[in-house]
Amino acid sequence: MNLTEEALLLENAEILRRYRGLLRAASKQISDPADKKKIRKAFNLALDAHKDMRRKSGEPYIFHPIAVARIVAEEIGLGTTAIIASVLHDTVEDTDLTLDDMERLFGKKVRNIIDGLTKIEGVFDFTESIQAENFKKIILTLSEDVRVILIKIADRLHNMRTLDHMRRDKQLKIASETMYLYAPLAHRLGLFNIKSELEDLALRYLEPDVYNEIEQKLQKSKEVRDRFITSFVGPIRRALSADNLRFDVKGRTKSIHSIWNKIKNKGVPFDEIYDIFAIRIILDVVPEKEKAEIWRTYSIITDIYQPKPDRLRDWISFPRANGYESLHTTVMSPTGKWVEVQIRSRRMDEVAEKGYAAHWKYKGENGETGLDEWLLKVRELLDNFREGEALELLDSFKLNLFNDEIYLFTPKGELRTLPAGSTALDFAYEIHSELGDHCLGAKVNNKLLPLSHKLASGDQVEIISSSRQRPHEDWLGFVVSGKAKTRIKSALKEEKRKVAEEGKEILKRKLRRLKINYSDADAQKMLQHFGLDEPLDLFYQIGKGGIGSQQIRDFYKNEGVRSWYKYLSQKFSRNPEIKKRTAAGGKEILQKIKQEENQLLLGDNLDAVDYNLAPCCNPIPGDEVFGFVTVNEGIKIHKTNCPNAVSLLSNYAYRVIKAKWTGSQIPAFLVGIYITGFDEVGMVNRITKLISNQMKVNIRSLSFDSNDGIFEGRMTLFVEHTRHLDELLNKIKEVKGVLRVERITENSSNT
Ligand code: MN
């Protein structure tokens, strides 16, 4: 990019202006001049490292780290270390600077944060599985230093704010990730403002029409709303002032995303959403008097306006898990409109807007207990998952995110938070997974109740346990917390695996006594015989005694082979229509079969069902085929134009099943071809060269005969598909001297 001298000067001035903006935004956190110096050092380093880089918009790259650092300082409230790490967050990834440089210049903490950020960067991809894995990584990194995740969220927020310059497909990808991962994370960390902004920005790109429509409606109704708010708030202001309370009043409009959610989920049209805005009253009050003054305010307001009794939300006595504290009530305005009023202290408001960082500020350096508690919970959840189950983790994590919470007490009066709908068993698992495994029931408010009992906010719960108790399958039917579900599932799996291991040994022992060698193939047939899904189930049943010696003997004695047939015909002819098939004739039956749903997929290795290709017609992928259930040899695949087809179809219609080739990874098939033509010198060589070199087909056998200047050749070849074969036949036809080429079926080769 060529910039004139003047433009460069202007740009440098702009960079400095933005840097000063950052310092101003951070002035609350950094009073020490030494800290300011360090930030300056980081800024100079980043400025130099990124000096030749530009963003998609054409702006100098350094705008981005400065903006991220500013979000981190101003909107999240973090201090010097996080600001330095933010300013440098893209340097290790994108420039020549190394982690060692970071450590040397700014210390270990900054190094670790940038390391975490660099690792998270780039591995994001919007396929579900990868994302879940990454999510796990994020959480793991997060537990080392939570600032990594906070800076990452700030990074994402700035990228979302500047998404306009990206390509449409990138916009969609980034916006989806934001909606799916970052907004819930921000919510979980109590960054309410950032969460709302992320959601709104994401919606703007994901559903531009919806976004614009709601935005316009909000714009249009703004004046009316403002007038309403002023007249509604007037009496409250006067009454609170008369009571000598110090306060601020704000009218807050709901985010576009949450309005859209309401329209979508509740089916309410825009004009009928009564809580499009809320009135927020923020009290300036010393911490010791917070609660008393909030309730006093509540009482003053509800003296003026009638409250809706079921809409009181007390999050000052029971703060939410993400640290949110506030008292919400919904009252009736003189015009007959319900209005939500939120009452909170200045401190609560800051925590609600900025999240935990603000929380620490009020609690002092060592007051990170709430966050630690949360991290510990996520950690536990993670420990209970094995590799590959990350998606499930994400699900149960999200489950916990969006469910409403209930507040419960241990016998000692400790507060525990669980998703709404939790049972006594969930509570037991919440206390300890061992306690959950052995839970028999619970005393809820001193009353003995079963473990499936649904708890309500405020319940005091004492768990009754027994060392003999074990997790049961049906427990999964009534637990709701992710932790309990995960733990029960893995306990059940573990238990089943143990029993199955024994079961397999038992089976082998029993077979030895019957003088039969154990084979996996037999086990496979037994599955079908006993109507089970996988070997684990079979061994488990044997281990448990559900399948005994007699049944195993029976299987081998007379059912072994027959059951195979029975299974196949059941699997494919559950439809009574099929049984009614008459010997009306092959064509008609084929027509009927075509309409059936169940079908055998050929070439799909995952399908447990075995099949063979019938030697009478040698079908290959691409041929139109059907399956025929034989008594001794499983399923045979015939071409629909096989010479035997008519008789099979009309005499044994009930044994015919629909079959289809699947497209992928089909091994080569053996096919015969017949060629005839003028016998010229080098003819055989030309044809075989064409087949093996040009078409890359393997020849299995060939024979050429020559008689009176006419040759006849027969070959068997490995081809992959009829398309492949057709192509090959056409190529051979083009060879000079070739008169005829055709595929050999059993019949024609015999002539
Ligand atoms: Mn970045």
Side-chain angles (χ1 to χ4, degrees), residues 216-341:
Q216 274 165 22
K217 280 188 174 157
L218 279 177
Q219 205 58 46
K220 257 206 228 146
S221 56
K222 188 172 186 305
E223 216 175 291
V224 179
R225 197 163 54 243
D226 284 349
R227 235 179 297 132
F228 175 85
I229 289 173
T230 313
S231 71
F232 175 85
V233 160
I236 297 180
R237 275 188 196 279
R238 284 192 290 279
L240 293 182
S241 300
D243 241 38
N244 290 322
L245 286 159
R246 288 178 48 222
F247 62 92
D248 257 347
V249 181
K250 291 185 198 164
R252 301 274 309 199
T253 310
K254 242 186 163 63
S255 77
I256 294 183
H257 176 261
S258 55
I259 291 173
W260 170 230
N261 256 352
K262 201 140 210 175
I263 293 175
K264 213 171 43 175
N265 297 338
K266 303 238 163 104
V268 211
F270 179 88
D271 305 310
E272 283 169 33
I273 300 177
Y274 67 79
D275 52 355
I276 262 180
F277 65 92
I279 303 295
R280 184 174 298 166
I281 293 161
I282 298 156
L283 297 167
D284 285 306
V285 55
V286 290
E288 306 82 67
K289 287 193 174 165
E290 275 179 339
K291 260 173 97 170
E293 304 245 301
I294 288 170
W295 284 112
R296 186 148 71 104
T297 306
Y298 170 80
S299 136
I300 292 169
I301 292 170
T302 49
D303 277 348
I304 305 171
Y305 299 123
Q306 185 70 36
K308 199 175 181 188
D310 60 332
R311 293 287 302 180
L312 181 66
R313 298 283 179 272
D314 174 11
W315 287 308
I316 52 171
S317 311
F318 305 109
R320 307 195 68 168
N322 62 9
Y324 185 80
E325 292 172 82
S326 191
L327 184 71
H328 293 189
T329 178
T330 300
V331 300
M332 177 66 83
S333 74
T335 51
K337 240 177 122 161
W338 289 112
V339 178
E340 184 178 302
V341 182

Side-chain angles (χ1 to χ4, degrees), residues 55 61 64-65 68 89-90 121 152 155 159:
R55 305 198 85 210
Y61 194 84
H64 169 64
V68 173
H89 80 271
D90 279 331
E121 195 67 47
K152 186 69 197 159
D155 183 34
N159 285 335

Side-chain angles (χ1 to χ4, degrees), residues 625-637:
V625 290
F626 66 89
F628 186 75
V629 181
T630 67
V631 178
N632 295 319
E633 296 173 88
I635 298 176
K636 285 257 149 105
I637 305 303

Side-chain angles (χ1 to χ4, degrees), residues 51-303:
K51 68 175 181 293
D52 297 323
M53 297 167 62
R54 287 188 180 268
R55 305 198 85 210
K56 278 257 151 53
S57 57
E59 290 174 337
Y61 194 84
I62 192 73
F63 282 10
H64 169 64
I66 295 176
V68 173
R70 184 163 177 165
I71 294 169
V72 158
E74 194 170 31
E75 296 178 54
I76 307 181
L78 296 179
T80 311
T81 310
I83 292 171
I84 290 173
S86 305
V87 169
L88 293 164
H89 80 271
D90 279 331
T91 55
V92 172
E93 170 91 6
D94 298 336
T95 77
D96 295 334
L97 292 174
T98 65
L99 285 173
D100 289 338
D101 293 334
M102 297 299 131
E103 183 165 353
R104 188 166 43 80
L105 294 166
F106 301 101
K108 189 112 187 116
K109 271 190 190 167
V110 170
R111 179 209 174 101
N112 287 345
I113 295 173
I114 294 178
D115 189 23
L117 284 163
T118 312
K119 278 178 189 149
I120 292 175
E121 195 67 47
V123 288
F124 267 94
D125 216 330
F126 197 60
T127 62
E128 281 205 331
S129 54
I130 295 175
Q131 230 197 8
E133 282 297 329
N134 288 332
F135 183 74
K136 193 167 152 180
K137 279 190 203 135
I138 291 182
I139 301 294
L140 286 169
T141 324
L142 160 77
S143 44
E144 280 163 31
D145 192 329
V146 72
R147 282 173 291 202
V148 171
I149 204 67
L150 294 170
I151 296 171
K152 186 69 197 159
I153 290 172
D155 183 34
R156 174 53 59 117
L157 180 58
H158 184 245
N159 285 335
M160 285 299 293
R161 283 177 182 168
T162 52
L163 202 55
D164 262 343
H165 302 282
M166 288 292 198
R167 258 180 15 223
R168 178 71 184 145
D169 59 324
K170 283 249 169 128
Q171 287 177 342
L172 287 174
K173 176 179 177 287
I174 293 171
S176 309
E177 271 173 15
T178 300
M179 194 70 103
Y180 191 52
L181 264 187
Y182 288 91
L185 262 180
H187 185 203
R188 201 51 171 122
L189 289 166
L191 302 168
F192 186 75
N193 277 355
I194 291 183
K195 172 222 166 207
S196 302
E197 190 180 344
L198 285 175
E199 283 173 343
D200 274 7
L201 285 167
L203 187 69
R204 206 176 118 200
Y205 290 97
L206 294 173
E207 309 237 26
D209 295 344
V210 167
Y211 183 90
N212 290 334
E213 193 188 326
I214 297 177
E215 195 191 28
Q216 274 165 22
K217 280 188 174 157
L218 279 177
Q219 205 58 46
K220 257 206 228 146
S221 56
K222 188 172 186 305
E223 216 175 291
V224 179
R225 197 163 54 243
D226 284 349
R227 235 179 297 132
F228 175 85
I229 289 173
T230 313
S231 71
F232 175 85
V233 160
I236 297 180
R237 275 188 196 279
R238 284 192 290 279
L240 293 182
S241 300
D243 241 38
N244 290 322
L245 286 159
R246 288 178 48 222
F247 62 92
D248 257 347
V249 181
K250 291 185 198 164
R252 301 274 309 199
T253 310
K254 242 186 163 63
S255 77
I256 294 183
H257 176 261
S258 55
I259 291 173
W260 170 230
N261 256 352
K262 201 140 210 175
I263 293 175
K264 213 171 43 175
N265 297 338
K266 303 238 163 104
V268 211
F270 179 88
D271 305 310
E272 283 169 33
I273 300 177
Y274 67 79
D275 52 355
I276 262 180
F277 65 92
I279 303 295
R280 184 174 298 166
I281 293 161
I282 298 156
L283 297 167
D284 285 306
V285 55
V286 290
E288 306 82 67
K289 287 193 174 165
E290 275 179 339
K291 260 173 97 170
E293 304 245 301
I294 288 170
W295 284 112
R296 186 148 71 104
T297 306
Y298 170 80
S299 136
I300 292 169
I301 292 170
T302 49
D303 277 348

